[in-house]
Amino acid sequence: MIGVLLREVKEYKKASIATPVFMILEVLMEMIIPYLMASIIDKGVSVGDIQHIYKIGGWMVAAAGVALFAGMAGGRYGAKASAGFAKNLREAMFNHIQTFSFANIDKYSTAGLVTRLTTDVTNVQNAYHMSLRMFTRAPASLLCAMTMAFSINVRLATVYLIAVLVLGALLFLIMSRATRYFQEAFPKYDDLNASVQENVSAIRVVKAYVREKQETEKFRKASENIYRIFVRAECTLVYNAPLMQFTVYTCILLISWIGAKMIVSSSLTTGELMSLLTYCMNILMSLMMMSMVFVMVSMSMASIRRIAEVLNETSDLKDPREPILEVPDGSIEFKNVDFSYKKGSARPVLQNINLKIHAGETIGIIGGTGSAKTSLVNLVSRLYDVSDGEVLVGGINVKKYGLEALRNQVSVVLQNNVLFSGTILDNLRWGNKEATEEECREACVLACADEFIQKFPQGYYTYIEQGGSNVSGGQKQRLCIARALLKKPKILILDDSTSAVDTATDKKIRRAFREEIPDTTKLIIAQRIASVQDADRIIVMEEGRIDGFGTHEELLESNEIYREVYLSQTKGGGDFDEKAGE
């Protein structure tokens, strides 16, 4: 798990290695200074040897200078390594998410992915920075200080050893308890982010239904959950400081008391006692630092698992070893196709689909809500893979195509129309980044979008707000259709994408398709029979099966569902979910 993340250190390996090296150098210099100070007191101050004081004092200044340089260099390289590591992690996660199929994306909430890319990566960055610096410095300082203390006086150094063992055990109990709370806290950020995202994206609905108080209360509860867990964790950690202070002062008292007796008996010098007191602080503070690093790493373990989960996720859809990069034509064939969103489902979403569509045909697809119309067309551009059977485009199984090559020839206008912040031209060029302004205008004429774009003061340079909030639903649909047409695809799929368009405009769009792009295969999902009745053939879907397939006239004669809905709609506004006589 940790190894998966460490692969993203990449170009920051040198900085990651340099940081602990400089930390160890800083510790060595710091440990030398108390030893030199003892020499000044015992061999300089006590006997009045000013030359010895100058000499050793110079070495102390040099050691302090090296320690200062090493500390600054360690901090600089540590910051560079941790920030770079976090940058690479975010890029790796984001790039990996782009390879996900719809089935992979369905496993995660949007808020969960955002939390992983932000909060979780920040936690890992902080833990990595602490590990490079403090987790190197603290053990090195502890080991060096203990070694120096034992080299001065074994009896007094034993006091430190006992204190370290007792304090270490108590700190471990505190840390293990606090860690459990932190591991509970970070997944709660998903709920918090989900609340914010849902509220902001649906703010118009919230205000329309005057639900501000309820949304505020929902956010307050999510925030309160995080607050309570962190309070419990921090209340556990507060014992660190008093426990550390108690241990430090106890050690100082014991060392001073025992050391004073030893000085009187001439078995210890004053300088050695001062050095031991300094090492006492180094030893215990090192233990304190190690405990805080342990907390930080423990806090980040939940984040590490969540990031590794995304990086280890493998896409269900992969290019074959030798992908076909050219789609011959827009013909489509389904052979004994079954499909389920989840493996092992008791009942497939699509069952025993057998269908053949010729290149250039216009095919209408109608059916009630939940009849799997969208699921059917999603298999054509291989947004999902079939559970059984095969789908052929241009006479070739879609699994044999390169994904990019296939999707460049199959334009899909999804049910949920999405526009991005930027000008109208920017949005249109999502379909073809090389498209000229004239080509964009031609696509908009076909989609009946040019007529309203020309009315904007800035025309095609009008800025679209995030999510297309400054254009109507019908305008958004027509822009998305124009964007799909710019790809000049062999297959065009419109998934109920004229539902917000008036009947007259819908008719204009269908006529433009018939006259201007006759060689493109068109699959049009609709609820209104008027939107598809002039199609070459019409598919009637019912509970994941094809209930009827033929022309408008043939279905009126042979298909009961189609006939009932047609009569219902022509009599006064029924839709496909309202069958006659019900």
Side-chain angles (χ1 to χ4, degrees):
M1 181 174 64
I2 295 176
V4 172
L5 272 65
L6 290 179
R7 287 203 298 261
E8 302 306 323
V9 175
K10 293 180 180 176
E11 68 270 30
Y12 299 99
K13 285 181 182 177
K14 289 182 179 179
S16 298
I17 294 170
T19 302
V21 169
F22 280 114
M23 289 295 99
I24 292 172
L25 177 60
E26 181 185 23
V27 167
L28 291 174
M29 294 300 104
E30 287 179 352
M31 293 302 107
I32 289 173
I33 290 174
Y35 188 81
L36 294 175
M37 184 176 64
S39 177
I40 285 181
I41 293 172
D42 294 336
K43 299 178 182 179
V45 175
S46 299
V47 298
D49 187 349
I50 193 68
Q51 293 300 322
H52 185 80
I53 293 173
Y54 285 150
K55 178 183 176 183
I56 301 301
W59 283 111
M60 288 179 67
V61 170
V66 173
L68 176 64
F69 168 77
M72 292 174 62
R76 180 176 180 275
Y77 282 112
K80 183 178 179 181
S82 58
F85 178 47
K87 172 183 74 73
N88 287 349
L89 267 184
R90 290 191 190 95
E91 288 179 358
M93 287 177 68
F94 187 83
N95 292 339
H96 195 57
I97 290 169
Q98 303 310 303
T99 68
F100 284 0
S101 67
F102 281 16
N104 295 118
I105 292 172
D106 291 342
K107 295 180 183 179
Y108 303 95
S109 67
T110 303
L113 289 174
V114 171
T115 304
R116 285 168 166 85
L117 283 163
T118 52
T119 305
D120 286 332
V121 170
T122 301
N123 292 336
V124 172
Q125 176 183 347
N126 292 336
Y128 189 66
H129 187 257
M130 289 284 284
S131 298
L132 288 179
R133 297 192 66 204
M134 297 300 107
F135 208 62
T136 303
R137 176 187 170 85
S141 180
L142 178 65
L143 184 62
C144 289
M146 288 292 289
T147 302
M148 295 298 287
F150 272 98
S151 69
I152 293 172
N153 190 285
V154 174
R155 182 182 173 190
L156 288 178
T158 305
V159 174
Y160 297 150
L161 185 60
I162 295 170
V164 165
L165 293 175
V166 173
L167 184 60
L170 292 173
L171 288 178
F172 177 78
L173 291 175
I174 293 172
M175 295 306 108
S176 58
R177 186 179 180 86
T179 298
R180 289 199 300 271
Y181 292 133
F182 284 123
Q183 288 177 341
E184 289 176 24
F186 289 109
K188 295 292 183 184
Y189 278 110
D190 285 357
D191 298 333
L192 188 71
N193 286 344
S195 177
V196 173
Q197 181 197 7
E198 190 174 52
N199 181 269
V200 173
S201 61
I203 192 68
R204 288 168 177 77
V205 178
V206 172
K207 291 188 176 296
Y209 284 86
V210 197
R211 298 281 295 183
E212 291 91 344
K213 288 184 179 178
Q214 289 83 351
E215 287 296 306
T216 301
E217 180 62 19
K218 186 165 68 173
F219 178 84
R220 188 193 67 77
K221 286 181 179 179
S223 181
E224 186 75 21
N225 287 335
I226 296 174
Y227 163 77
R228 280 198 296 267
I229 293 173
F230 269 105
V231 165
R232 280 186 288 174
E234 295 296 340
C235 284
T236 304
L237 288 176
V238 295
Y239 293 106
N240 263 18
L243 185 61
M244 178 63 65
Q245 288 177 344
F246 175 78
T247 307
V248 168
Y249 294 143
T250 301
C251 283
I252 290 174
L253 286 172
L254 287 172
I255 295 299
S256 299
W257 180 48
I258 298 171
K261 286 186 175 183
M262 294 178 72
I263 290 173
V264 170
S265 63
S266 300
S267 58
L268 186 75
T269 66
T270 305
E272 288 174 336
L273 178 60
M274 291 186 64
S275 297
L276 285 168
L277 290 172
T278 305
Y279 289 133
C280 170
M281 295 299 296
N282 283 329
I283 290 168
L284 298 177
M285 290 308 297
S286 296
L287 202 59
M288 184 68 171
M289 280 192 289
M290 287 176 67
S291 71
M292 295 311 298
V293 171
F294 182 72
V295 171
M296 184 66 71
V297 172
S298 299
M299 285 169 59
S300 69
M301 283 307 296
S303 296
I304 289 171
R305 279 193 291 271
R306 286 154 57 83
I307 293 171
E309 185 182 6
V310 173
L311 292 176
N312 285 329
E313 182 78 23
T314 55
S315 177
D316 294 340
L317 305 179
K318 294 182 179 178
D319 283 344
R321 288 187 177 181
E322 296 181 1
I324 297 172
L325 302 177
E326 187 66 37
V327 180
D329 57 57
S331 62
I332 304 168
E333 186 174 359
F334 288 76
K335 290 184 177 180
N336 303 315
V337 168
D338 288 347
F339 170 69
S340 297
Y341 285 103
K342 291 184 178 179
K343 293 179 180 179
S345 297
R347 186 172 178 274
V349 175
L350 291 169
Q351 305 171 58
N352 194 31
I353 303 296
N354 286 283
L355 186 65
K356 191 166 186 177
I357 299 168
H358 303 296
E361 274 194 298
T362 298
I363 303 295
I365 305 174
I366 58 176
T369 302
S371 60
K373 304 183 296 295
T374 299
S375 300
L376 181 74
V377 298
N378 279 344
L379 300 179
V380 176
S381 56
R382 208 186 166 200
L383 296 177
Y384 293 93
D385 267 341
V386 298
S387 303
D388 195 18
E390 58 180 350
V391 178
L392 284 71
V393 170
I396 300 169
N397 192 317
V398 291
K399 294 181 180 179
K400 294 183 179 179
Y401 287 111
L403 283 171
E404 185 176 348
L406 175 65
R407 291 175 184 171
N408 276 335
Q409 294 302 322
V410 182
S411 272
V412 183
V413 183
L414 298 170
Q415 201 166 8
N416 297 321
N417 300 284
V418 177
L419 293 176
F420 299 88
S421 53
T423 65
I424 289 177
L425 277 177
D426 291 336
N427 273 276
L428 292 172
R429 284 173 177 151
W430 272 70
N432 180 359
K433 63 182 179 181
E434 304 296 334
T436 63
E437 188 172 339
E438 184 58 35
E439 288 173 326
C440 291
R441 183 173 283 106
E442 289 173 2
C444 288
V445 169
L446 279 177
C448 294
D450 184 68
E451 55 191 44
F452 74 79
I453 294 174
Q454 296 292 359
K455 293 178 183 178
F456 291 144
Q458 293 178 295
Y460 283 82
Y461 292 92
T462 300
Y463 190 83
I464 300 293
E465 301 293 341
Q466 186 177 8
S469 58
N470 59 332
V471 291
S472 70
Q475 291 171 339
K476 193 187 297 185
Q477 286 185 337
R478 283 179 277 176
L479 286 172
C480 289
I481 292 171
R483 181 173 65 189
L485 289 172
L486 273 173
K487 290 178 73 173
K488 299 178 181 177
K490 289 186 168 67
I491 299 172
L492 175 64
I493 298 173
L494 304 178
D495 187 355
D496 206 15
S497 49
T498 57
S499 57
V501 174
D502 61 87
T503 307
T505 303
D506 186 16
K507 190 173 181 180
K508 286 181 185 177
I509 293 172
R510 286 185 280 114
R511 184 172 64 245
F513 286 172
R514 186 169 58 251
E515 293 173 357
E516 301 296 333
I517 51 173
D519 296 329
T520 299
T521 304
K522 296 164 282 291
L523 305 182
I524 303 173
I525 295 176
Q527 290 291 338
R528 299 182 300 213
I529 286 181
S531 297
V532 296
Q533 68 179 29
D534 59 351
D536 296 318
R537 289 185 290 173
I538 301 166
I539 300 170
V540 180
M541 299 290 297
E542 179 73 6
E543 296 184 353
R545 298 178 181 273
I546 295 178
D547 190 77
F549 185 34
T551 64
H552 172 68
E553 292 75 15
E554 289 171 349
L555 291 173
L556 280 177
E557 290 182 8
S558 62
N559 190 272
E560 184 180 350
I561 295 175
Y562 187 85
R563 184 168 55 251
E564 287 181 355
V565 175
Y566 175 74
L567 292 173
S568 174
Q569 290 185 0
T570 53
K571 285 179 181 177
D575 66 21
F576 213 87
D577 291 322
E578 298 174 4
K579 296 172 186 169
E582 293 183 356

